[in-house]
Amino acid sequence: MSALPTLYHLIDGQPFASSRPPFENRNPATGALIGHVCEADAGIVDRAVQAARRALRGPWARLDEHDRAALLRRTADRIRARFDDFLAAEVADTGKPVSLARTVDIPRGAANFEVFADQIANTATESFRTATPDGRGALNYGLRTPRGVIAVICPWNLPLLLTTWKVAPALAFGNTVVVKPSEDTPTTTALLAEVMREAGVPDGVFNVVHGFGPDSAGQYLSEHPDVDGITFTGETRTGAAIMRAAATGVRPVSLELGGKNAGVVFADCDLDAAVAGIARAAFLNSGQVCLGTERVYVQRPLFDTFVQRLRAEAGMLRPGDPRDAATRFGPLVSATHRRKVLDCYARARADGATVVTGGGVPQLPDALAGGYWVQPTIWTGLPDASPVLREEIFGPCCHVAPFDDEDEAVARANDSAYGLATTIWTRDLARAHRVAAAIEVGVAWVNCWYLRDLRTAFGGARQSGIGREGGAHGLEFYTELRNVCIKL
Ligand code: NAD
Ligand code: 6OD
């Protein structure tokens, strides 16, 4: 094996290898090998789950919410202290532009711990004074206890952001965790284990197992009978497999899944803002954002202008070294994902799309020629029934279609198996409220996109997920609510 780094599982504060050979970690911008990662077998996963279970009864159990809040704040501080390490690791694993990771991924990694530190300091439970026949009454009150050992299974598109989005509430509410990062982007989770130790989180509270999904760490973890709940972000099909695993033992799941999100642009919108907003929603992180817009509906009087303006925005996105501060457009995460996206590009052409821009692989400088690049792509003219408009692509692409009136726009936006997010552009406030209420999604943005307040409910409708996380909403999944009734 080379001198490149190898990532180990982290269990009870100790690094572990396993019986399986390590797998490769490659930089998506260049295709270069940047390290190896140990793959967990069932024995390693069992060891991690048992460590998390023991930790539930150790010093961790004796910390009150103020102690836990202090640990979460120290973890946020440690992420900021090692900002450049996290930044370099996230850019190398994902290929995303450093400008994006610097302003979104890494700051959110720290902020997620702070918002849930605030949350536990402000979480109350209900109480009722209950009448009884003897006139003395009874007091009922709610008591929240940690759910137990939580499995956290994560995707590759926003690795640190999405892992901490689940680890922070799990720990805030007193659980212990076993985290399975994506096989494509394992490094910032390994760094997170280091900063948790530095912050003083007791051994066994935060454990990491690396590997793949089926017949690997993901499956073993979701099937493990001593896991009390599974929180998962990823594809809808994987979410269904995890639900099946969770059915054994009747364990709860919190699922943030795929989307095929619609953007709706009315003729009365602020055109500059709408073009910039839809361009961001379609192309940010090379379209690898679950909330991204792959279906754009534009009111007919604005249609031709809008398409030309969006095309100009796409034309400004050029491949560049993700470590360069000026780069705004990165590669896809893996060769496998690029094949899937290029298949969709071919399918769009076969289904009769007009390719407004892109549709293939860009010209690349030699240094990037081995990377997993595709062109930002815009289509028009596809029938609503085309698979390109029904299945999530998760690439830098969107289809733009004209509509005539509000009812039509709402009906076409809702014509999807998914229901994650929408972005609506209009100056008419009454219409904004009507349309936001009518499109069946978990998150509706008006005149903006991906503007987050971490106290708000986050999750998807339909096949985009089960449950809501964020602020107090995660309480339902991360805790058990017991009612205590005391006769007075
Ligand atoms: P994925 O479902 O392929 O993988 C996600 C994780 O699940 C990985 O760690 C993987 O190893 C693991 N996994 C795969 N099969 C498994 C199995 N059978 N059992 C247990 N674990 C298994 O998703 P991805 O390709 O990493 O991420 C992209 C997808 O994630 C897109 O569909 C995107 O929409 C979705 N996503 C959703 C949200 C949201 O908030 N709704 C956020 C980000 C990404
Ligand atoms: O911002 C978040 O909290 C969140 N869960 C974002 C998900 C993005 C999907 O790719």
Side-chain angles (χ1 to χ4, degrees), residues 209-268:
V209 292
H210 295 287
F212 304 88
D215 301 318
S216 188
Q219 181 181 334
Y220 303 144
L221 185 57
S222 47
E223 287 179 349
H224 198 294
D226 278 337
V227 164
D228 299 302
I230 306 165
T231 178
F232 168 76
T233 304
E235 273 191 39
T236 294
R237 209 177 28 212
T238 313
I242 286 175
M243 268 185 97
R244 284 192 289 277
T248 305
V250 195
R251 290 152 323 132
V253 291
S254 176
L255 303 178
E256 294 181 4
L257 307 178
K260 187 73 184 177
N261 309 303
V264 182
V265 180
F266 288 94
D268 67 355

Side-chain angles (χ1 to χ4, degrees), residues 402-413:
F403 71 88
D404 289 304
D405 63 28
E406 187 179 309
D407 287 347
E408 181 195 343
V410 168
R412 290 173 77 185

Side-chain angles (χ1 to χ4, degrees), residues 172-317:
F173 297 126
N175 302 282
T176 61
V177 298
V178 179
V179 180
K180 211 287 286 167
S182 167
E183 53 274 35
D184 290 316
T185 55
T187 311
T188 48
T189 305
L191 284 175
L192 187 60
E194 290 178 20
V195 303
M196 292 239 168
R197 282 206 104 189
E198 293 163 11
V201 174
D203 288 346
V205 170
F206 179 85
N207 306 279
V208 181
V209 292
H210 295 287
F212 304 88
D215 301 318
S216 188
Q219 181 181 334
Y220 303 144
L221 185 57
S222 47
E223 287 179 349
H224 198 294
D226 278 337
V227 164
D228 299 302
I230 306 165
T231 178
F232 168 76
T233 304
E235 273 191 39
T236 294
R237 209 177 28 212
T238 313
I242 286 175
M243 268 185 97
R244 284 192 289 277
T248 305
V250 195
R251 290 152 323 132
V253 291
S254 176
L255 303 178
E256 294 181 4
L257 307 178
K260 187 73 184 177
N261 309 303
V264 182
V265 180
F266 288 94
D268 67 355
C269 71
D270 172 340
L271 180 60
D272 291 346
V275 170
I278 294 287
R280 216 174 130 251
F283 303 128
L284 189 81
N285 206 33
S286 294
Q288 302 165 117
V289 180
C290 60
L291 309 156
T293 301
E294 292 187 358
R295 298 183 293 142
V296 187
Y297 300 100
V298 180
Q299 206 160 17
R300 202 172 295 278
L302 210 56
F303 180 75
D304 291 335
T305 310
F306 187 91
V307 170
Q308 289 319 311
R309 294 277 309 266
L310 194 63
R311 177 174 186 266
E313 293 283 327
M316 289 190 284
L317 299 173

Side-chain angles (χ1 to χ4, degrees), residues 11 35 116 183 232 237 245 250 259 272 279 314 360 368 375 409 446 487:
I11 301 172
F116 289 104
E183 53 274 35
F232 168 76
R237 209 177 28 212
V250 195
D272 291 346
L368 303 179
Q375 289 176 314
V446 176
K487 177 74 169 57

